Amino acid sequence: MNITQEDIRSRIEINSISGNEIEVNMGPHHPSTHGVIRFILHLDGEIVVRATPDVGYLHRSIEKIAEKLPYSAFMPYTDRVDYVAPVNCNVGYALAVETMGNLEVPERATWLRMLGMELTRIASHLLGVGALTVDLGAYTPFVHALREREHIFDLMEILTGTRMNNNYVRLGGVCQNVNDDFFEKLSKYLDHFVLFMDEFERLIGLNKIFIERLKGIGVVKAEEAIHFSLSGPNLRGSGVDIDLRKTDNYCFYDQLDFNVVVGKGKFGAVGDSYDRYDVRIEEMKQSEKLLRQILSRIKDGEIQAKVPKKLILPEGELYHRTEAPRGELGFHIISDGKNLTPYRVKIRTGSFTAMTTLSDKLKGMMVADVIAYFASLDVVAPEVDR
Amino acid sequence: MKYSIDICDKLVQLVSPVSAEIIQRESKMPIVKVSAQVLRKVIQIAMSNPELKFNFLNNISGTHLTETSEEGEIKSRGFSLLYVLSRSDDFSSVVIGVDLPDLNPSVDSVDDIFGSANWFEREIYDLLGVVFNDSCDLRRIMLPDDWVGHPLRKDFQEKSSYNGIPTTREDELAAVRVDNL
Amino acid sequence: MSLYQELPDNVFITSIDDVLGWSRKHSLWWMVFGLACCSIELMHTGGPRADIERFGAAPRGTPRQSDLIIIAGTLTYKMASRLKLLYEQMAEPRYVISMGSCSNCGGLFSSAYSVVKGVDQIIPVDIYLQGCPPRPEALLEALVALQGKVQKEKFLRK
């Protein structure tokens, strides 16, 4: 008996299956690692009839705080927008302000920024994939991922000064320099990382239970992904090959050579949860390739340009976007041309739009598949609530 | 970023006789400004016209426009919304802006054209108080349901407590600070 | 000859309070209440390098089975009622570690309109741990400090 999600959905829409619905609360506190997000599920037995996500449990009013601080003082708050990949958010904000104010960035600083971004991209995808396995019930791959993240944290501590919430980027450059010892350590770590990825794929990626839990679950076709404004690995998992590092040329990504990884329907339909997992694994390998190229091109030089201490941006507005590990990270900055503080900062994150697919896609799924689908989207709560 | 003045000119030309003007022409991001009554029609044309085909919604943001006098008094001038749309093949973008009045600001919702628009509009309704007509689901999203006020407005005053929890924290070291002794 | 020298090596004399304190402090089961950035460091503390389970502290998902709640992250007004409910569901004796600046006093977000300025406005706190976020070693030190507090408690006398 092979009943698909489509059959169940069509039966729900005509008439409720048995008429006895219970309301279950997957409350804001739950043992998953994605943060405080709540679902109100109406269930008919094991099948979801209606699902309502409820967010805002981590709304820390970062956008209102931005209106009280000068541009350079807002940098630590951008770390906390996505605390799993802080350097990416730092760079996104710095590029938006620098584009609006026509500030220059020295070459070595841009290379160092790209190094930080790709290293945090690897760390973020490791946590995303590890959290997916924990939600499916396997704790061991998560601890393997944490072990690798500890090595990456050691490297980030040498590069930026702290393990997490690095606050590494300043307007016009980066905050501290590194010497060649760090590049040797990074190169040795990348050699080890290739072997780890091979072991990880054999441990979990080709595991029959893992494949059966994920294949065919939550299929998002390409038109639906564009309709719901998915971005990042979620969009590429559905077959659309858009990568903001290639379309909007920022930093020096046009000088480097890497592939845009697209989901191919390896075990099920194109755009199912296994594809989104596979895109993240392949992207980690592409990031490793990028890191080696950056190591061969980085030269000596200055790390911080001269930026006026009291920076006032010219009047106007700008929306600038970069590719964060969870999708498109956009900063919309409005300046009134007179004050040291911005008039308005709006942050647009990839997880926010990924949450909009839920009330449509969860209909007709079983409860265990709800968790598998939600974990494959790799949503973190601070990106949704800010 | 891929904004170009040619795309804005083409959009203005294709939506005529509806009037649209381009502001910030020489800057890095030209904005096509339309009035609130025709916003939905302009967005529908931008999405469906085969020469434009902007079928990806990047962002909807809202701002409270105010003037501050020398004494520090804040006078509200209205609200402004910004829609950023992109093409799904090469990701070039266009920006459409709209200005709303101060009293009862409202505009038509676009949540049947783009699937993600509903949550963007809910956030703007919650934090700024702009109403979206014919929206499928307009309620608060970030703040608790019994919250009073719209915090991102420039004249928002914080209350002294919320359901019994105080909103400020006493300084524990105040009693032993040098200037208090 | 004193009594101690007469006894064989595997017998020792102590007080009931000491034994109870020793056994209770080495099995403090904690509830995972990770809200924000500090929850990542909480996960790393449970990870392979700074292993919290070697102290006997096992993570639990439900308040009914835990002695300790580690509040890691920023508490907002929307979440505050849930924290109160979860704390009241824990059985006594129960302890609270407030991890990070945001739960100590509001931290970086103390000028925000939606953040509770310190978790001790809602529940009583035993150990305040500062840091943004605190390192895993700092969390282990907080746990050891709590163990010191538990050891000194006269559990059988009210």
Side-chain angles (χ1 to χ4, degrees), chain A residues 29 36 38 54-61 68 77 80 83 142 146 149-150 153-154 157 163-164, chain C residues 32-33 35-37 40-41 43-44 49 61 74 76 78 82 86 108-109 111-114 132 135-136:
Chain A
H29 171 249
V36 280
R38 176 184 178 210
D54 184 17
V55 297
Y57 293 91
L58 199 59
H59 178 64
R60 297 185 279 194
S61 46
K68 303 181 197 159
Y77 290 88
R80 276 96 179 149
Y83 46 69
F142 182 56
L146 282 185
R149 272 179 63 97
E150 290 278 353
F153 273 1
D154 287 342
E157 205 170 358
R163 289 158 53 102
M164 244 186 86
Chain C
V32 184
F33 198 69
L35 298 169
C37 341
I40 303 285
E41 288 291 19
M43 280 190 246
H44 278 277
R49 199 182 275 185
T74 322
T76 56
K78 203 167 177 181
R82 276 87 177 174
L86 287 171
L108 200 59
F109 300 99
S111 54
Y113 53 79
S114 59
C132 193
R135 289 184 67 109

Side-chain angles (χ1 to χ4, degrees), chain A residues 57-209:
Chain A
Y57 293 91
L58 199 59
H59 178 64
R60 297 185 279 194
S61 46
I62 291 181
E63 299 178 356
K64 182 89 180 177
I65 292 177
E67 297 171 11
K68 303 181 197 159
L69 293 174
Y71 293 94
S72 49
F74 184 60
M75 196 61 82
Y77 290 88
T78 57
D79 283 323
R80 276 96 179 149
V81 165
D82 179 7
Y83 46 69
V84 191
V87 177
N88 281 287
C89 306
N90 282 348
V91 173
Y93 174 68
L95 284 176
V97 176
E98 285 158 7
T99 313
M100 209 165 154
N102 288 323
L103 303 172
E104 274 186 18
V105 181
E107 202 183 311
R108 185 176 167 93
T110 310
W111 287 118
L112 283 174
R113 281 179 181 182
M114 288 167 73
L115 200 99
M117 281 207 283
E118 292 307 318
L119 210 50
T120 40
R121 195 182 301 270
I122 293 179
S124 167
H125 282 319
L126 276 172
L127 190 72
V129 165
L132 170 63
T133 58
V134 157
D135 284 349
L136 295 180
Y139 191 57
T140 305
F142 182 56
V143 186
H144 280 240
L146 282 185
R147 185 189 67 193
E148 290 307 307
R149 272 179 63 97
E150 290 278 353
H151 290 307
I152 294 182
F153 273 1
D154 287 342
L155 290 170
M156 291 305 285
E157 205 170 358
I158 304 174
L159 178 71
T160 70
T162 67
R163 289 158 53 102
M164 244 186 86
N165 289 346
N166 312 97
N167 192 15
Y168 179 47
V169 178
R170 303 279 180 270
L171 297 176
V174 294
C175 74
Q176 64 180 39
N177 208 344
V178 284
N179 52 16
D180 291 333
D181 277 349
F182 171 73
F183 297 134
E184 269 178 45
K185 287 197 173 93
L186 179 61
S187 171
K188 241 198 282 188
Y189 173 67
L190 289 177
D191 294 331
H192 156 82
F193 184 69
V194 173
L195 301 172
F196 164 74
M197 281 311 299
D198 186 46
E199 179 193 55
F200 196 75
E201 264 186 303
R202 281 183 292 122
L203 174 69
I204 193 73
L206 301 173
N207 183 316
K208 185 161 167 57
I209 302 178

Side-chain angles (χ1 to χ4, degrees), chain B residues 2-150:
Chain B
K2 294 184 131 179
Y3 300 118
S4 85
I5 194 73
D6 304 324
I7 299 183
C8 298
D9 283 330
K10 196 191 272 198
L11 178 66
V12 170
Q13 181 196 0
L14 283 171
V15 299
S16 72
V18 167
S19 77
E21 64 156 327
I22 302 184
I23 64 169
Q24 272 190 199
R25 276 194 88 98
E26 278 80 46
S27 76
K28 297 201 172 64
M29 183 175 90
I31 304 177
V32 178
K33 272 270 199 235
V34 299
S35 73
Q37 289 84 9
V38 299
L39 173 74
R40 201 190 141 86
K41 206 158 137 203
V42 168
I43 290 193
Q44 226 151 14
I45 295 176
M47 189 191 161
S48 48
N49 191 310
E51 287 180 63
L52 296 171
K53 281 216 291 196
F54 287 104
N55 54 354
F56 189 93
L57 175 72
N58 284 92
N59 186 24
I60 309 179
S61 27
T63 321
H64 187 204
L65 303 169
T66 54
E67 276 164 356
T68 315
S69 63
E70 279 95 34
E71 295 88 40
E73 239 185 73
I74 301 179
K75 189 161 107 56
S76 168
R77 277 189 295 130
F79 298 85
S80 112
L81 298 182
L82 197 92
Y83 291 71
V84 181
L85 305 170
S86 301
R87 276 196 191 125
S88 60
D89 40 12
D90 61 351
F91 238 55
S92 52
S93 314
V94 77
V95 179
I96 301 175
V98 78
D99 276 336
L100 300 175
D102 180 36
L103 233 35
N104 300 331
S106 72
V107 73
D108 287 332
S109 160
V110 296
D111 58 14
D112 49 345
I113 310 178
F114 297 108
S116 54
N118 177 243
W119 274 43
F120 283 118
E121 292 173 353
R122 275 177 73 183
E123 187 187 350
I124 297 177
Y125 166 67
D126 184 10
L127 298 175
L128 282 169
V130 174
V131 172
F132 289 87
N133 307 326
D134 298 325
S135 162
C136 61
D137 179 16
L138 197 69
R139 19 176 201 126
R140 284 199 185 264
I141 185 173
M142 301 287 182
L143 294 169
D145 285 324
D146 55 355
W147 191 272
V148 171
H150 298 284

Side-chain angles (χ1 to χ4, degrees), chain C residues 16-35:
Chain C
I16 294 185
D17 279 332
D18 282 346
V19 168
L20 277 176
W22 168 83
S23 62
R24 283 176 60 221
K25 81 178 185 185
H26 282 304
S27 85
L28 283 169
W29 286 6
W30 51 282
M31 180 167 91
V32 184
F33 198 69
L35 298 169

Side-chain angles (χ1 to χ4, degrees), chain A residues 212-273:
Chain A
E212 290 290 326
R213 277 299 295 269
L214 288 183
K215 77 173 188 200
I217 302 293
V219 177
V220 180
K221 304 200 213 26
E223 310 82 47
E224 290 178 316
I226 293 172
H227 179 71
F228 285 111
S229 304
L230 287 180
S231 50
N234 296 331
L235 181 66
R236 292 194 280 280
S238 297
V240 182
D241 62 345
I242 295 270
D243 188 331
L244 291 174
R245 293 173 287 177
K246 292 247 191 209
T247 61
D248 303 357
N249 284 319
Y250 62 92
C251 293
F252 292 146
Y253 279 109
D254 45 353
Q255 296 179 22
L256 300 180
D257 171 44
F258 64 104
N259 302 333
V260 174
V261 184
V262 168
K264 292 188 199 47
K266 214 161 153 181
F267 287 105
V270 174
D272 63 357
S273 304

Side-chain angles (χ1 to χ4, degrees), chain C residues 37-56:
Chain C
C37 341
C38 286
S39 68
I40 303 285
E41 288 291 19
L42 193 62
M43 280 190 246
H44 278 277
T45 313
R49 199 182 275 185
D51 182 12
I52 198 173
E53 297 202 36
R54 61 190 155 119
F55 291 90

Side-chain angles (χ1 to χ4, degrees), chain A residues 10-43:
Chain A
S10 58
R11 285 174 68 193
I12 292 174
E13 264 147 35
I14 298 172
N15 53 334
S16 179
I17 295 182
S18 73
N20 300 323
E21 281 177 20
I22 53 171
E23 184 178 322
V24 168
N25 183 31
M26 260 174 73
H29 171 249
H30 51 85
S32 158
T33 47
H34 303 289
V36 280
I37 299 181
R38 176 184 178 210
F39 290 104
I40 305 168
L41 301 171
H42 291 257
L43 298 177

